[in-house]
Amino acid sequence: MRLVCVVLASIVLAACGGSSNTSGAVSAGGLSVWPASQQGENPPPAPEQFEPIVSNGDELASMLPGNVANRLFDPVAFGYTVNDISDPVIVEHMVRSTFAQLQDGSRLQHVYHWYGHPYENAEVALIPVEFLNRYGTKLYGEIVLPYAAKGSPQEGPFPVIIALQGLNTNVGMYRWWHRLFADNGYLVFAFDFSGQGHSDDEAEGDPGNNLHDAQDAMTYLFESSSVASVLNAEQVGVIGHSMGAGAVLRVQEQEVENATEPNPVRIKAGVAAAPVGESVSANPIPIMIQTGDHDGPIAPIPFANPAVVRPLYDSFERDRAFIVAEASSHGQHTNYPLIPTATWGREIAANYSLAWMDYYLRGDATALLVLEGGHPHLSYLHDSATRIDGVENAYRGNGPAPDPAEFE
């Protein structure tokens, strides 16, 4: 009944001239065509003497019967790893990326290459940019265009997602998440924190403050970027994984009245994926936490993170969600090949994070069907929960969590 009422209210507002854009939205401005964009960066060919080996991925893949391995290992969170090893395109991509890391300036101590994932790279339209933070450190960013730039910027202004990365990672590791929002009409801005990915090491005097880097990215996007005129400053959300989840929590704290370091644009909602031992001083906006059964505080230690993070969720004062994916690991939110996690992990992360932003940024009442509908691969070990518009719900697996009173 509550969903029906919200939908009817949305229809009435639309009939009165309302839309998914809020009253503070501006027109799309003078940008008539998108600036030049490109696909995600793929690794260059391997050295000539190794290329015949690299391109013979079919022989390697044939050694692993992927369909059998999936059935054996997926319940213990090895789904993606098995799929990746059995795919010659991904195997070649990883080998070439490893060779490239030795020559492209990568921070080898960070382990992960910055070439993303071959299938995700091919599906995005991004504008690579560089900008300075307030301390003078040069940061690398990617403006991911809505609908892979197949539409017109005149369809804007577009809602915006600011994407924040994990420790020792890079923007390429999260392109699936960026593409998810872009394919659904959001403009996404992702960047490498100072000292990570393509960004420079901290300049002299730069303390490596992730809150400041995030705020400076917002300032650049809305004031100096080539797409500034088609952004909706009234529909801005922030997402982040691991260390980036902690940065999401720091950003949302600055939405309180009389904030000490206010954000340059107002943030309306956030998704903190796999936060690590965090707490907040204030919770002024709706926040979703996502984690998994096999997500540990630092690494995929089974069963640890949901219990560690639940007190953070319980401390939130505003609308909130706590989504625990069955058998998913700390790598659930990356598209880095060979990281073990359940095959359904990204589906859950995608469905819930998109619905959260659709509801709180766009006012889309149909998003409640996802947010309050359960999922067959939510955890059966830990409660997932939501509090939306004052209504509390809890879930295990595909349905509501059992009432403890039923077992007394």
Side-chain angles (χ1 to χ4, degrees):
M1 179 59 72
R2 182 167 72 93
L3 175 59
V4 172
C5 292
V6 175
V7 172
L8 289 175
S10 301
I11 293 172
V12 171
L13 288 173
C16 294
S19 70
S20 60
N21 295 333
T22 63
S23 59
V26 296
S27 66
L31 191 61
S32 57
V33 296
W34 290 115
S37 61
Q38 63 187 52
Q39 295 181 338
E41 178 184 16
N42 284 307
E48 184 176 352
Q49 65 270 34
F50 296 110
E51 187 62 27
I53 301 173
V54 174
S55 59
N56 195 20
D58 286 329
E59 181 176 345
L60 176 61
S62 67
M63 298 170 62
L64 286 172
N67 59 334
V68 174
N70 277 338
R71 290 198 299 272
L72 290 174
F73 293 109
D74 197 56
V76 290
F78 284 95
Y80 280 154
T81 297
V82 173
N83 289 341
D84 290 347
I85 293 175
S86 63
D87 187 330
V89 174
I90 295 177
V91 172
E92 292 181 26
H93 178 87
M94 288 296 288
V95 175
R96 290 193 177 97
S97 297
T98 300
F99 280 119
Q101 277 184 286
L102 301 175
Q103 304 178 48
D104 64 7
S106 294
R107 295 177 170 87
L108 295 179
Q109 70 273 24
H110 288 185
V111 181
Y112 306 112
H113 67 70
W114 57 42
Y115 296 105
H117 191 287
Y119 298 130
E120 301 299 335
N121 291 344
E123 296 298 326
V124 297
L126 61 86
I127 303 172
V129 298
E130 293 179 339
F131 61 100
L132 298 180
N133 71 6
R134 68 190 68 186
Y135 304 103
T137 300
K138 184 169 65 176
L139 304 182
Y140 170 81
E142 293 181 351
I143 298 170
V144 186
L145 299 177
Y147 308 118
K150 294 175 181 176
S152 166
Q154 291 296 308
E155 297 171 16
F158 296 93
V160 176
I161 298 294
I162 306 295
L164 309 177
Q165 63 188 213
L167 179 66
N168 294 345
T169 66
N170 54 77
V171 293
M173 292 180 65
Y174 301 95
R175 286 202 182 108
W176 80 269
W177 213 6
H178 309 158
R179 182 170 71 87
L180 166 76
F181 283 99
D183 286 352
N184 284 277
Y186 292 82
L187 186 141
V188 179
F189 188 44
F191 69 96
D192 290 331
F193 285 122
S194 56
Q196 298 197 171
H198 287 285
S199 290
D200 285 355
D201 291 333
E202 289 88 351
E204 184 176 354
D206 186 342
N209 186 309
N210 290 341
L211 169 64
H212 293 169
D213 279 356
Q215 291 178 327
D216 295 343
M218 297 176 209
T219 298
Y220 166 79
L221 181 68
F222 280 88
E223 296 184 6
S224 303
S225 75
S226 59
V227 297
S229 65
V230 298
L231 306 180
N232 190 333
E234 299 296 325
Q235 296 179 329
V236 184
V238 59
I239 62 174
H241 171 245
S242 193
M243 182 181 74
V248 168
L249 299 176
R250 302 290 80 78
V251 167
Q252 68 92 34
E253 287 175 329
Q254 299 306 317
E255 289 302 322
V256 298
E257 292 185 13
N258 303 315
T260 57
E261 298 183 277
N263 298 314
V265 292
R266 186 179 178 193
I267 305 299
K268 293 292 185 67
V271 175
V276 180
E278 299 287 347
S279 61
V280 295
S281 62
N283 170 228
I285 66 173
I287 294 292
M288 170 180 284
I289 293 176
Q290 294 189 354
T291 183
D293 281 339
H294 290 203
D295 187 6
I298 300 298
I301 305 170
F303 318 129
N305 209 44
V308 170
V309 178
R310 181 60 191 243
L312 171 64
Y313 168 80
D314 291 336
S315 74
F316 290 162
E317 299 172 350
R318 295 295 301 274
D319 282 8
R320 62 192 187 182
F322 187 69
I323 306 302
V324 187
E326 179 191 8
S328 287
S329 74
H330 198 70
Q332 171 185 349
H333 290 82
T334 78
N335 55 228
Y336 195 84
L338 309 184
I339 290 183
T341 194
T343 55
W344 51 75
R346 285 200 308 217
E347 176 192 337
I348 291 176
N351 290 354
Y352 281 95
S353 60
L354 179 62
W356 193 251
M357 293 304 179
D358 281 348
Y359 188 69
Y360 288 104
L361 301 191
R362 288 171 156 165
D364 181 359
T366 62
L368 291 173
L369 296 172
V370 173
L371 297 173
E372 298 182 339
H375 188 284
H377 287 298
L378 291 179
S379 174
Y380 286 81
L381 301 173
H382 301 274
D383 283 355
S384 295
T386 61
R387 183 176 66 202
I388 299 174
D389 300 330
V391 178
E392 300 266 7
N393 287 292
Y395 309 89
R396 289 213 180 184
N398 197 31
D403 185 347
E406 296 177 6
F407 300 95
E408 294 179 355

